[in-house]
Amino acid sequence: MEIKKGIAVSPGISIAKALIIDSEDYRIPRRSIKVSQRADEIQRVRNAFKDAIGELTELEAAQGKAEGGKIKDIFAVHLRFLHDRSLRKKITDLVHSDLVTAEYAVSTILREIAAHFSKVKDAYISERAADIYDIERRLLIQLLDRKREDIEHLTEEVTIIARELSPIQTAGFDRNFVKGIASDAGGRTSHAAIVARSLGIPAVVALENLTESVRGGDTVIIDGNHGIVIVNPDDQTIRQYEEYEKEFAELEHKLDAIRGKPAVTRDGVKITLLGNIEFHDEAETVLQKGGQGIGLYRTEYLYLNRQSEPTEEEHYQAYAETVSVLQDRPVIIRTLDLGADKYTQRKRFAPEPNPFLGLRSIRFCLQNLTMFKTQLRAILRASVLGDVRIMFPLITNLHEVMQTKMILRDVMEDLDEESIAYNKDIPIGIMIETPSSALTAFSLARDVDFFSIGTNDLTQYTLAVDRGNELVAALYSSSDPAVLRLIRMVIQDAHKAQIDISVCGEMASEPEYIMLLLGMGIRTLSLTAPMIPEIKQMIRSVTMEHCNNVARKVLGMNSERQISNYLRAAARKILPEAF
Ligand code: PEP
Ligand code: MG
């Protein structure tokens, strides 16, 4: 039995056999195969080469027609490597002699070659190392995609164990069979964690080297409440956790009973609870859990799980279906927030050196106007079906707001010309998730109808801590006084300008922050659906006077540690069962 501690990102308990999936961007752990699996594994290597050659040949041909030149040359170099029989033989020989998986052999041999190339003094040859890494990645994608198919056809309950998961991989998990998730990498607000939470799958991340200690088929307990993973537990531990799992399910069941009750504090202040969704079919769950609308529809997921861009009609159908479920309740559609960890970097021809500070989100849309306008048309068309509002992500300055609104107006004019109906007064909001937008909120507020504070990114950018990097996960905290000061400033500026303000980052789904947010003046929270009952219970257990006191105390503190300890203790007193 081995106990590992990570970060709890999605609550609940699960006990199931491990299924290990690898990610193309990391070193593949050494894993042995049986002699009887040798032939199959060698065939997997051959298939991966064949498929990679097929894919590259197609890409090369397409480039030939379009731009030709440099890119075509690169593909040609890659193809030459892939056709090299001695390279393939080295890999299959390693599988044969060392009884290792195809992934491990591909990775080991190609990295050896790349390391050798990069040491050569001749610049032309040393630069070929990058090509070898690309080829490695290409082959691993082939090998891992086949595994992904296995994941799509699960027949028994499993715990997914991975070095790192992308949000879209996580979104594809079958809730009926994937009982728990554990990964080496990740942080509390990394997008894969957010998706696990919205699917209601218990998950623990930032386990650092878990993949090295688990083998496929091992029994694994995931304790998503405390961030604990137990590999090969003994019988007594299994019994304890089975009991705990039952108690937790009962608590969830009890909380569901408050679904129809209002989110109102003990002294009568009404709070609006909205849901965050990634896919339109989650809208139903938001209502089931007692949500009063959608406060954040992360529409980039429409784009992420496919090879081609969605058409206007596909966007429209997704929005129309969401609105038809919500009827006249608000649906805040956030425009595409692609980039950073929500862009499959391997799909980009030239991955960005620093994607979180790169061409992401609204910046990406403003440089890809055809794509952006397609989405805006669909949102506007859906705006006549219900209470649709539009929200722009990652705004950093007023110029971006102006530019974005101008494009929206262009699209409106196009629709006018085509006599297509839309709501001319559609409310326009922005996310406040960069320090620059928080610091200039007073001026941005004049040009928009509402703000929503994206505390996940706001925390990451204020503290300069990557939200998905387990190595700095301990430094990532929304309790930091710098983050809280910015949040308070934004709330005050929104109140002064008399525009709506909500919080839609993960802070809104964490019981310990609720009193503080209410005390700072927040009356609308948008959060992952499974957490709505618990947060509602918290709201129904407090008075606004108490919340104001908590906020006053916290804003007078100057250490993150002091604040988080205080908030946790204060929330524990109110709702002990949540901790
Ligand atoms: C945020 O940054 O807080 C947010 C809600 O947006 P996302 O998590 O999708 O980046
Ligand atoms: Mg964000």
mmCIF file of all heavy atoms in Angstrom, residues 84-85 90 95 100 148 200 217 222 304 320 377 431 451 455 473 490 508 545 547 550 564:
data_model
loop_
_atom_site.group_PDB
_atom_site.id
_atom_site.type_symbol
_atom_site.label_atom_id
_atom_site.label_comp_id
_atom_site.label_asym_id
_atom_site.label_seq_id
_atom_site.Cartn_x
_atom_site.Cartn_y
_atom_site.Cartn_z
ATOM 1 N N ASP A 84 13.111 5.788 -42.690
ATOM 2 C CA ASP A 84 14.405 5.170 -42.407
ATOM 3 C C ASP A 84 14.203 3.839 -41.648
ATOM 4 O O ASP A 84 13.803 3.822 -40.488
ATOM 5 C CB ASP A 84 15.226 6.166 -41.551
ATOM 6 C CG ASP A 84 16.593 5.613 -41.194
ATOM 7 O OD1 ASP A 84 16.845 4.414 -41.431
ATOM 8 O OD2 ASP A 84 17.404 6.399 -40.670
ATOM 9 N N ARG A 85 14.493 2.728 -42.344
ATOM 10 C CA ARG A 85 14.241 1.412 -41.751
ATOM 11 C C ARG A 85 15.080 1.146 -40.506
ATOM 12 O O ARG A 85 14.640 0.489 -39.568
ATOM 13 C CB ARG A 85 14.573 0.314 -42.765
ATOM 14 C CG ARG A 85 13.457 0.091 -43.740
ATOM 15 C CD ARG A 85 13.902 -0.875 -44.826
ATOM 16 N NE ARG A 85 12.837 -0.992 -45.796
ATOM 17 C CZ ARG A 85 11.783 -1.774 -45.624
ATOM 18 N NH1 ARG A 85 11.666 -2.513 -44.557
ATOM 19 N NH2 ARG A 85 10.833 -1.816 -46.538
ATOM 20 N N LYS A 90 15.702 -0.061 -34.723
ATOM 21 C CA LYS A 90 16.250 0.229 -33.386
ATOM 22 C C LYS A 90 15.127 0.192 -32.344
ATOM 23 O O LYS A 90 15.293 -0.312 -31.246
ATOM 24 C CB LYS A 90 16.833 1.651 -33.383
ATOM 25 C CG LYS A 90 18.310 1.697 -33.665
ATOM 26 C CD LYS A 90 18.849 3.037 -33.160
ATOM 27 C CE LYS A 90 20.297 3.157 -33.467
ATOM 28 N NZ LYS A 90 20.656 4.158 -34.429
ATOM 29 N N VAL A 95 11.980 -2.898 -27.999
ATOM 30 C CA VAL A 95 10.774 -3.552 -27.465
ATOM 31 C C VAL A 95 11.074 -5.030 -27.261
ATOM 32 O O VAL A 95 10.762 -5.627 -26.216
ATOM 33 C CB VAL A 95 9.581 -3.394 -28.444
ATOM 34 C CG1 VAL A 95 8.381 -4.212 -27.976
ATOM 35 C CG2 VAL A 95 9.210 -1.926 -28.612
ATOM 36 N N VAL A 100 9.657 -3.620 -23.309
ATOM 37 C CA VAL A 100 9.054 -2.343 -22.890
ATOM 38 C C VAL A 100 7.939 -1.976 -23.875
ATOM 39 O O VAL A 100 7.845 -2.546 -24.959
ATOM 40 C CB VAL A 100 10.095 -1.193 -22.859
ATOM 41 C CG1 VAL A 100 11.038 -1.360 -21.686
ATOM 42 C CG2 VAL A 100 10.848 -1.094 -24.170
ATOM 43 N N ARG A 148 -6.601 6.163 -26.678
ATOM 44 C CA ARG A 148 -7.787 6.972 -26.422
ATOM 45 C C ARG A 148 -9.033 6.230 -26.890
ATOM 46 O O ARG A 148 -10.072 6.306 -26.286
ATOM 47 C CB ARG A 148 -7.667 8.321 -27.132
ATOM 48 C CG ARG A 148 -7.520 9.429 -26.139
ATOM 49 C CD ARG A 148 -7.087 10.693 -26.790
ATOM 50 N NE ARG A 148 -5.827 11.097 -26.213
ATOM 51 C CZ ARG A 148 -4.933 11.824 -26.833
ATOM 52 N NH1 ARG A 148 -5.137 12.250 -28.041
ATOM 53 N NH2 ARG A 148 -3.814 12.150 -26.235
ATOM 54 N N GLY A 200 -18.320 15.775 -12.124
ATOM 55 C CA GLY A 200 -18.567 15.121 -10.834
ATOM 56 C C GLY A 200 -17.684 13.896 -10.633
ATOM 57 O O GLY A 200 -18.060 12.965 -9.918
ATOM 58 N N GLY A 217 -4.196 -1.740 -13.769
ATOM 59 C CA GLY A 217 -4.830 -2.849 -13.063
ATOM 60 C C GLY A 217 -4.662 -2.795 -11.546
ATOM 61 O O GLY A 217 -5.357 -3.488 -10.811
ATOM 62 N N ILE A 222 -9.200 7.068 -4.746
ATOM 63 C CA ILE A 222 -9.045 8.511 -4.918
ATOM 64 C C ILE A 222 -9.899 9.181 -3.845
ATOM 65 O O ILE A 222 -11.113 8.950 -3.783
ATOM 66 C CB ILE A 222 -9.563 8.970 -6.305
ATOM 67 C CG1 ILE A 222 -8.871 8.217 -7.439
ATOM 68 C CG2 ILE A 222 -9.454 10.491 -6.467
ATOM 69 C CD1 ILE A 222 -7.487 8.671 -7.773
ATOM 70 N N LEU A 304 -12.725 22.666 -29.263
ATOM 71 C CA LEU A 304 -11.565 21.858 -28.883
ATOM 72 C C LEU A 304 -11.658 20.378 -29.216
ATOM 73 O O LEU A 304 -10.656 19.731 -29.423
ATOM 74 C CB LEU A 304 -11.315 22.005 -27.371
ATOM 75 C CG LEU A 304 -10.685 23.322 -26.939
ATOM 76 C CD1 LEU A 304 -10.700 23.448 -25.433
ATOM 77 C CD2 LEU A 304 -9.244 23.406 -27.438
ATOM 78 N N ALA A 320 -28.812 27.567 -28.990
ATOM 79 C CA ALA A 320 -30.278 27.479 -28.995
ATOM 80 C C ALA A 320 -30.732 26.372 -28.036
ATOM 81 O O ALA A 320 -31.698 26.541 -27.289
ATOM 82 C CB ALA A 320 -30.781 27.210 -30.409
ATOM 83 N N ARG A 377 -22.137 35.960 -34.844
ATOM 84 C CA ARG A 377 -23.401 35.839 -35.587
ATOM 85 C C ARG A 377 -24.321 34.822 -34.900
ATOM 86 O O ARG A 377 -25.512 35.072 -34.713
ATOM 87 C CB ARG A 377 -23.133 35.353 -37.026
ATOM 88 C CG ARG A 377 -22.782 36.428 -38.007
ATOM 89 C CD ARG A 377 -22.511 35.794 -39.367
ATOM 90 N NE ARG A 377 -23.743 35.292 -40.000
ATOM 91 C CZ ARG A 377 -24.455 35.981 -40.886
ATOM 92 N NH1 ARG A 377 -24.063 37.180 -41.265
ATOM 93 N NH2 ARG A 377 -25.551 35.466 -41.408
ATOM 94 N N MET A 431 -14.882 39.808 -18.825
ATOM 95 C CA MET A 431 -14.310 39.131 -17.673
ATOM 96 C C MET A 431 -13.157 39.966 -17.156
ATOM 97 O O MET A 431 -12.356 40.487 -17.937
ATOM 98 C CB MET A 431 -13.801 37.751 -18.072
ATOM 99 C CG MET A 431 -14.941 36.841 -18.416
ATOM 100 S SD MET A 431 -14.416 35.146 -18.567
ATOM 101 C CE MET A 431 -13.983 34.759 -16.867
ATOM 102 N N PHE A 451 -19.628 42.999 -15.362
ATOM 103 C CA PHE A 451 -18.306 42.392 -15.156
ATOM 104 C C PHE A 451 -18.513 40.998 -14.571
ATOM 105 O O PHE A 451 -19.441 40.785 -13.784
ATOM 106 C CB PHE A 451 -17.511 43.134 -14.065
ATOM 107 C CG PHE A 451 -16.913 44.451 -14.443
ATOM 108 C CD1 PHE A 451 -16.529 45.337 -13.429
ATOM 109 C CD2 PHE A 451 -16.681 44.816 -15.765
ATOM 110 C CE1 PHE A 451 -15.945 46.557 -13.725
ATOM 111 C CE2 PHE A 451 -16.091 46.036 -16.066
ATOM 112 C CZ PHE A 451 -15.730 46.907 -15.045
ATOM 113 N N THR A 455 -11.556 34.607 -11.306
ATOM 114 C CA THR A 455 -10.513 34.581 -10.270
ATOM 115 C C THR A 455 -9.390 33.586 -10.580
ATOM 116 O O THR A 455 -8.303 33.693 -10.024
ATOM 117 C CB THR A 455 -11.126 34.248 -8.897
ATOM 118 O OG1 THR A 455 -11.869 33.041 -9.044
ATOM 119 C CG2 THR A 455 -12.028 35.352 -8.412
ATOM 120 N N ALA A 473 2.289 25.001 -7.430
ATOM 121 C CA ALA A 473 0.888 24.965 -6.976
ATOM 122 C C ALA A 473 0.733 25.547 -5.573
ATOM 123 O O ALA A 473 -0.281 26.182 -5.266
ATOM 124 C CB ALA A 473 0.358 23.546 -7.041
ATOM 125 N N VAL A 490 -12.467 45.964 -7.915
ATOM 126 C CA VAL A 490 -13.368 45.737 -9.048
ATOM 127 C C VAL A 490 -14.832 45.804 -8.589
ATOM 128 O O VAL A 490 -15.677 46.425 -9.249
ATOM 129 C CB VAL A 490 -13.075 44.364 -9.716
ATOM 130 C CG1 VAL A 490 -14.088 44.061 -10.813
ATOM 131 C CG2 VAL A 490 -11.658 44.333 -10.277
ATOM 132 N N ALA A 508 -15.769 30.913 -6.458
ATOM 133 C CA ALA A 508 -17.210 30.893 -6.217
ATOM 134 C C ALA A 508 -17.717 29.509 -5.834
ATOM 135 O O ALA A 508 -18.837 29.361 -5.357
ATOM 136 C CB ALA A 508 -17.948 31.383 -7.466
ATOM 137 N N GLU A 545 -24.377 40.241 8.198
ATOM 138 C CA GLU A 545 -23.577 40.951 9.192
ATOM 139 C C GLU A 545 -22.283 40.179 9.470
ATOM 140 O O GLU A 545 -21.187 40.748 9.514
ATOM 141 C CB GLU A 545 -24.414 41.082 10.476
ATOM 142 C CG GLU A 545 -23.852 42.078 11.432
ATOM 143 C CD GLU A 545 -24.571 41.987 12.785
ATOM 144 O OE1 GLU A 545 -25.716 41.507 12.829
ATOM 145 O OE2 GLU A 545 -23.940 42.381 13.779
ATOM 146 N N CYS A 547 -20.871 38.045 7.423
ATOM 147 C CA CYS A 547 -20.035 38.104 6.196
ATOM 148 C C CYS A 547 -19.256 39.420 6.153
ATOM 149 O O CYS A 547 -18.069 39.439 5.806
ATOM 150 C CB CYS A 547 -20.899 37.995 4.947
ATOM 151 S SG CYS A 547 -21.714 36.415 4.796
ATOM 152 N N VAL A 550 -16.359 39.217 8.466
ATOM 153 C CA VAL A 550 -15.293 38.366 7.916
ATOM 154 C C VAL A 550 -14.494 39.178 6.900
ATOM 155 O O VAL A 550 -13.261 39.200 6.925
ATOM 156 C CB VAL A 550 -15.895 37.093 7.261
ATOM 157 C CG1 VAL A 550 -14.847 36.365 6.419
ATOM 158 C CG2 VAL A 550 -16.457 36.164 8.320
ATOM 159 N N SER A 564 -5.926 32.439 4.685
ATOM 160 C CA SER A 564 -6.531 31.150 4.347
ATOM 161 C C SER A 564 -6.855 30.350 5.606
ATOM 162 O O SER A 564 -7.903 29.685 5.651
ATOM 163 C CB SER A 564 -5.702 30.365 3.336
ATOM 164 O OG SER A 564 -4.417 30.207 3.814
#
